Amino acid sequence: MIFEKEMKETLDEKSESVCEMKEKKEFTKPDGGYGWVILFVAFTISFILDGCMYSFGIILDEIKNHYGVAQEIANLITSFNTGFLFLSGTLSAAFAKQFGCRIVVMVSAFIFSGMYFLSALVSSIYYLHFLFGIIGGIAFGCTYLTCFIILVEYFDKKLGLANGLTMAGSGLGATAFAPLTHFLNKYFGWKYTMMILAGLVFLCFFLGALLRPIEYYYKKIRQEDDNDEENFDSVIPKQTTSEIIIEIFKEMTNFRLLRENSLFLLMTMSNFFIFFVYFIVFIYIPVRAKELKIENYAIILSIIGFVNIPCRIIFGILSDKVIKAIYMNTFSVFLASVSTFSFYYLTTIYSQAVFAVFFAISAAGMNCLSTPYLVDIVGSKSFANANGILNIFRGISCIAGPFIAGFLTDKLGSNLYAFVFCGSSLAIAAILSAIVALKTIKNEKVVKANKSEFIVKV
């Protein structure tokens, strides 16, 4: 959400008198100021949560052995957690609209931390599926995704840079948490590792308190420009619980963009195939390393995280001024497809380190470019809704993908088929993204031709 959406949907719908007095006034986003504090919070939350997520594969094998279950059953922990992370996209957008980003992040961070801690105490892996996978996944999503909603509210011209810097936290988290998780698991076991990580996740509760609503900025500008000291909150009527539930339901079930915007539909399907297999790579890097008797496999995950950091920032800067985000996304997905097809045949830690560099470049693009290309395709007014829809499809694919990979490796007797599955799905995603890129080029040519024709006529 951005200011136009906030003012028209949050203020205008609730108080027509305020709208009538101020409708002629138009503001620009801060693109800095307190926005840098928002950026710091989003970066740090991304650092902690993504760091935990990307390193979870290190303890997954220990969990599998502890409960004595098949690989596909163990993979469901990651499937549910990442799946419900994305499925919570529309829920987090609806909650943020009704209660504000600060409250949503603080409450959901508290819940996710609790799920991490309780997951170390359960007697069955199926409790883990529910507590850490489903409940934890929803709380994870409401903490993580809400940060991007408020980021869009504070940044406009510098959105690509802000998004790239935030997403760089993910890479730094993967770099730091992989060796940390490996160390904790080796010396304390997976249960105490989960408890310690729960404490780190709880830090997001305090970070969420710093997410000051954008309305403070606009109220300050109003008072400075109009010398108006009126307390706008006092004229906005409170909603009943039933009205809030209805508003949340409406926000969660608004799929109009899929019908009206063909480019958005294609990118939604592309993201479906990307996240069908994206997290499988992080699950099977440790599995394949143990198969090859490679002991220091955590360094592969750290390299992915380390290379991610500058790549996400560079992609963010380029998407602001130089290259369309959709073009770089297409390149990234093709590179990811080629990389994952080849991974199984890389049998030394050095060759896998080279893979890590190329996959990190592609992962950086696939993750940090979705915000700018969504804004390009649907506009900033529809961003929150589009992001929510996109994450629903990502969530569905995340739940199914790792389970299918586990089933293939168990039934066919080789981890090769997990990487073939990954490469094939990413190839489909790349083709869909390429179609959108080609249509974007065509549309730009039409716009330029129309401008030229108008200038000639004038």
Side-chain angles (χ1 to χ4, degrees):
M1 289 182 290
I2 61 167
F3 165 67
E4 292 88 351
K5 185 170 183 179
E6 280 293 328
M7 297 304 294
K8 290 179 181 177
E9 295 186 4
T10 305
L11 291 179
D12 293 358
E13 288 177 2
K14 296 178 181 178
S15 178
E16 293 181 2
S17 61
V18 175
C19 172
E20 290 171 358
M21 290 187 292
K22 306 298 178 182
E23 64 182 355
K24 294 182 180 179
K25 185 66 182 176
E26 185 175 345
F27 299 102
T28 56
K29 298 177 185 179
D31 257 336
Y34 197 81
W36 298 120
V37 177
I38 301 296
L39 176 59
F40 168 77
V41 172
F43 171 89
T44 310
I45 287 178
S46 179
F47 169 78
I48 295 172
L49 298 188
D50 278 348
C52 291
M53 178 178 65
Y54 287 128
S55 61
F56 190 76
I58 294 173
I59 62 175
L60 184 62
D61 202 46
E62 302 299 323
I63 294 173
K64 170 195 165 188
N65 294 333
H66 176 83
Y67 290 107
V69 296
Q71 186 68 55
E72 64 263 30
I73 301 300
N75 286 0
L76 278 175
I77 301 172
T78 301
S79 296
F80 285 138
N81 185 258
T82 55
F84 280 92
L85 151 66
F86 290 117
L87 282 172
S88 67
T90 53
L91 185 65
S92 62
F95 280 157
K97 180 179 177 181
Q98 291 297 324
F99 306 112
C101 294
R102 175 189 285 165
I103 295 297
V104 174
V105 170
M106 292 179 70
V107 173
S108 55
F110 178 81
I111 294 172
F112 190 33
S113 174
M115 293 306 102
Y116 246 104
F117 189 87
L118 290 176
S119 295
L121 307 176
V122 298
S123 58
S124 169
I125 195 170
Y126 299 105
Y127 293 133
L128 258 174
H129 290 160
F130 178 72
L131 292 175
F132 184 78
I134 298 175
I135 304 299
I138 294 171
F140 182 2
C142 287
T143 307
Y144 180 74
L145 299 175
T146 304
C147 291
F148 292 93
I149 294 175
I150 196 168
L151 204 65
V152 172
E153 292 179 351
Y154 271 88
F155 289 91
D156 183 15
K157 293 179 181 179
K158 297 178 182 177
L159 177 60
L161 173 62
N163 190 68
L165 288 170
T166 299
M167 296 301 289
S170 173
L172 187 61
T175 303
F177 275 76
L180 173 64
T181 305
H182 182 70
F183 172 82
L184 293 174
N185 185 53
K186 182 177 180 180
Y187 291 100
F188 300 103
W190 72 268
K191 290 189 175 184
Y192 285 108
T193 299
M194 292 281 283
M195 292 180 181
I196 294 170
L197 293 178
L200 294 175
V201 171
F202 188 65
L203 293 175
C204 297
F205 172 85
F206 301 102
L207 288 166
L210 298 174
L211 296 177
R212 189 167 69 189
I214 192 67
E215 285 79 11
Y216 283 88
Y217 170 75
Y218 295 123
K219 184 185 294 185
K220 181 180 178 181
I221 297 299
R222 284 187 186 280
Q223 292 173 349
E224 289 177 354
D225 290 354
D226 300 334
N227 197 26
D228 185 355
E229 299 296 332
E230 180 181 359
N231 184 352
F232 292 101
D233 293 332
S234 65
V235 299
I236 297 176
K238 300 296 183 181
Q239 286 183 298
T240 64
T241 303
S242 60
E243 287 174 334
I244 291 174
I245 293 173
I246 291 171
E247 287 296 321
I248 291 173
F249 180 76
K250 284 181 179 179
E251 188 73 18
M252 290 177 61
T253 55
N254 183 6
F255 293 93
R256 172 180 49 82
L257 280 173
L258 289 174
R259 300 191 303 269
E260 297 179 353
N261 193 320
S262 60
L263 296 184
F264 175 62
L265 174 62
L266 287 170
M267 284 313 299
T268 300
M269 295 309 300
S270 176
N271 273 264
F272 177 88
F273 285 105
I274 289 172
F275 286 89
F276 203 34
V277 296
Y278 178 76
F279 294 102
I280 294 173
V281 176
F282 296 94
I283 294 173
Y284 279 89
I285 284 176
V287 172
R288 178 62 175 156
K290 290 177 182 179
E291 190 177 67
L292 296 170
K293 303 295 189 292
I294 297 174
E295 294 184 1
N296 298 322
Y297 57 84
I299 195 172
I300 305 300
L301 297 174
S302 292
I303 291 172
I304 292 176
F306 182 76
V307 175
N308 244 278
I309 300 167
C311 288
R312 294 189 184 212
I313 297 172
I314 292 170
F315 277 129
I317 295 172
L318 291 177
S319 68
D320 271 339
K321 297 180 179 179
V322 184
I323 307 173
K324 283 280 188 183
I326 188 62
Y327 305 153
M328 293 186 286
N329 180 77
T330 303
F331 163 77
S332 299
V333 184
F334 270 117
L335 181 60
S337 177
V338 174
S339 300
T340 51
F341 267 126
S342 66
F343 182 78
Y344 184 81
Y345 300 100
L346 307 177
T347 57
T348 67
I349 192 169
Y350 303 106
S351 58
Q352 289 188 4
V354 174
F355 156 84
V357 172
F358 284 103
F359 185 77
I361 295 171
S362 60
M366 290 186 295
N367 280 285
C368 78
L369 293 169
S370 61
T371 296
Y373 71 61
L374 276 182
V375 172
D376 288 341
I377 291 173
V378 304
S380 54
K381 287 185 179 181
S382 300
F383 169 78
N385 180 232
N387 196 45
I389 294 171
L390 194 73
N391 285 322
I392 285 178
F393 281 85
R394 285 174 171 177
I396 294 170
S397 61
C398 280
I399 292 173
F403 178 82
I404 293 173
F407 177 82
L408 289 172
T409 56
D410 276 353
K411 297 301 178 183
L412 300 177
S414 174
N415 293 318
L416 167 66
Y417 299 101
F419 292 102
V420 171
F421 175 49
C422 288
S424 301
S425 186
L426 288 168
I428 296 171
I431 292 170
L432 291 169
S433 183
I435 293 172
V436 176
L438 291 172
K439 286 193 173 187
T440 301
I441 294 172
K442 182 180 178 181
N443 291 342
E444 287 181 339
K445 288 181 178 179
V446 171
V447 170
K448 287 180 180 179
N450 290 339
K451 282 185 178 180
S452 300
E453 184 180 345
F454 175 76
I455 292 172
V456 170
K457 287 181 178 180
V458 172

